[in-house]
Amino acid sequence: MEDRVRVVIAEDSVLLREGLTRLLTDRGHEVVAGVGDGDALISTVDDLAREGQLPDVVVADVRMPPTHTDEGVRAAVQLRKSHPGVGVLVLSQYVEERYATELLAGSSRGVGYLLKDRVAEVREFVDAVVRVAQGGTALDPEVVAQLLGRSRKQDVLAGLTPREREVLGLMAEGRTNSAIARQLVVSDGAVEKHVSNIFLKLGLSPSDGDHRRVLAVLTYLNS
């Protein structure tokens, strides 16, 4: 498969870990390891790196043993620093703003944050894993809504119209212009115009390249 990716899963629930493995392998992807805590995740990826077999993406629960607080996301943040070529997709029971912001604070490549309920939407979940593995972004709509709604940096988006804010939220979910057009029932050209206006108003120049879509969200979150 052209889009076949190699995955490490970090989830302390054996049942969920096996379920995620089945979802991915049934669609032709390779789960190279499954672990139950943050330390094991880091050591496993380090071992694979030494063998020249780095995975394309890590799928990790935010909360794992021993304290079930932030072990998973801390391991994910560490891996993004030590192995920047590995995509990181974290799963959470509910939106945890501090963890989402921490995860998004670094490079804009290969990062995702989804609610666990989204796993039930199998095609969207697997597409998100592949997108993150290939250097893209996958943010849950609920994560986007909460981060945009609760941030104290509202002045950053003050110049955007309501429609531009809506387009920005859909961009943050990792949707293409065509997908946004279908969602909003408008033409591709209308979406392209909105996206261009967003880039202009957020001060993102063409020199920022394709990652302006992610930087448009990160500029807001981290300014």
Side-chain angles (χ1 to χ4, degrees):
M1 291 179 58
E2 184 178 349
D3 292 333
R4 183 173 183 266
V5 298
R6 302 175 70 252
V7 188
V8 171
I9 297 174
E11 167 60 59
D12 62 295
S13 166
V14 176
L15 183 62
L16 181 54
R17 188 165 72 233
E18 292 300 318
L20 293 174
T21 299
R22 182 66 179 270
L23 288 179
L24 292 166
T25 56
D26 280 355
R27 284 153 185 80
H29 304 293
E30 181 184 1
V31 177
V32 297
V35 299
D37 61 73
D39 289 341
L41 172 60
I42 292 172
S43 63
T44 296
V45 174
D46 286 344
D47 289 343
L48 289 169
R50 283 190 288 271
E51 298 167 4
Q53 298 292 327
L54 267 176
D56 299 302
V57 61
V58 165
V59 177
D61 191 358
V62 166
R63 297 172 179 264
M64 287 194 291
T67 68
H68 292 280
T69 54
D70 63 351
E71 283 84 356
V73 75
R74 283 195 288 108
V77 170
Q78 181 173 331
L79 287 175
R80 280 175 60 73
K81 295 177 181 177
S82 58
H83 303 289
V86 177
V88 172
L89 174 63
V90 300
L91 302 177
S92 181
Q93 195 67 42
Y94 50 88
V95 179
E96 302 184 77
E97 183 177 338
R98 177 169 63 88
Y99 298 153
T101 304
E102 183 178 6
L103 186 69
L104 293 166
S107 168
S108 61
R109 287 185 55 82
V111 63
Y113 190 117
L114 297 180
L115 297 182
K116 286 187 175 180
D117 288 347
R118 209 64 63 183
V119 175
E121 300 170 13
V122 177
R123 175 176 291 183
E124 291 188 15
F125 168 70
V126 176
D127 285 349
V129 172
V130 173
R131 187 161 64 247
V132 171
Q134 295 176 341
T137 305
L139 297 182
D140 194 284
E142 292 297 324
V143 174
V144 174
Q146 183 158 321
L147 290 177
L148 295 182
R150 293 188 179 180
S151 174
R152 297 173 183 174
K153 307 296 184 179
Q154 291 292 341
D155 57 314
V156 177
L157 295 188
L160 299 186
T161 67
R163 177 63 92 181
E164 288 165 353
R165 288 173 181 251
E166 191 173 11
V167 170
L168 177 56
L170 293 171
M171 287 166 55
E173 293 171 26
R175 303 196 188 208
T176 64
N177 284 2
S178 295
I180 293 173
R182 289 193 297 271
Q183 176 74 19
L184 300 181
V185 194
V186 298
S187 68
D188 287 1
V191 173
E192 290 174 5
K193 184 176 180 180
H194 288 312
V195 172
S196 295
N197 288 339
I198 290 169
F199 292 158
L200 179 64
K201 292 177 180 179
L202 295 185
L204 299 172
S205 68
S207 63
D208 292 316
D210 294 337
H211 302 308
R212 287 192 297 174
R213 299 183 73 84
V214 177
L215 291 173
V217 177
L218 297 183
T219 297
Y220 171 69
L221 296 176
N222 300 314
S223 62

